[in-house]
Amino acid sequence: MSEQAEEALETQELDRYECRACGYVYEPEKGDDKYDIAAGTPFPELPLNWKCPVCTAKKVAFANIGPAGTASGFKENLSYGLGVNKLTPGQKNILIFGALALGFLFFISLYGLQ
């Protein structure tokens, strides 16, 4: 196997899967308490009869959304957008709400002008 294929297999174990029916996200680091799935169990190793703990959708209703903390979107599009596309969702939140807070402070500072 090539290095890239091996790397993809290794990282796929950490991937999170989202239920397309209700939006529940299975995270391998946490497992599933409802069905006694131990933490660290990758999604492909879940039993075939495992179902979504929220809406009881079957395992085939889940889509791979990648590991936690990675940039969202397709990998070929991450180089566009002045580098903003490479930010993780948490970093994007800080950027957006930080800019809003800064704008609000500038607006409030106008009251100090006489």
Side-chain angles (χ1 to χ4, degrees):
M1 256 201 277
S2 70
E3 252 182 70
Q4 290 177 342
E6 288 177 9
E7 187 176 313
L9 286 175
E10 289 175 8
T11 58
Q12 193 170 12
E13 289 183 2
L14 303 175
D15 287 357
R16 300 172 306 145
Y17 285 76
E18 181 179 27
C19 179
R20 292 179 286 180
C22 69
Y24 167 78
V25 177
Y26 173 76
E27 298 188 31
E29 295 85 18
K30 295 180 181 176
D32 181 11
D33 293 336
K34 186 174 181 180
Y35 291 102
D36 293 326
I37 304 296
T41 304
F43 188 81
E45 292 182 13
L46 292 175
L48 292 175
N49 62 351
W50 181 84
K51 294 183 179 184
C52 176
V54 176
C55 68
T56 66
K58 293 184 179 182
K59 192 174 170 183
V60 295
F62 281 75
N64 186 340
I65 59 171
T70 58
S72 56
F74 297 107
K75 290 182 182 177
E76 58 268 10
N77 294 337
L78 294 180
S79 61
Y80 296 107
L82 302 172
V84 177
N85 286 346
K86 293 182 182 179
L87 298 177
T88 63
Q91 292 170 328
K92 286 180 184 177
N93 282 339
I94 291 172
L95 180 67
I96 291 167
F97 292 112
L100 285 172
L102 187 63
F104 179 75
L105 288 174
F106 283 146
F107 179 74
I108 293 298
S109 70
L110 293 174
Y111 286 109
L113 298 176
Q114 292 292 331

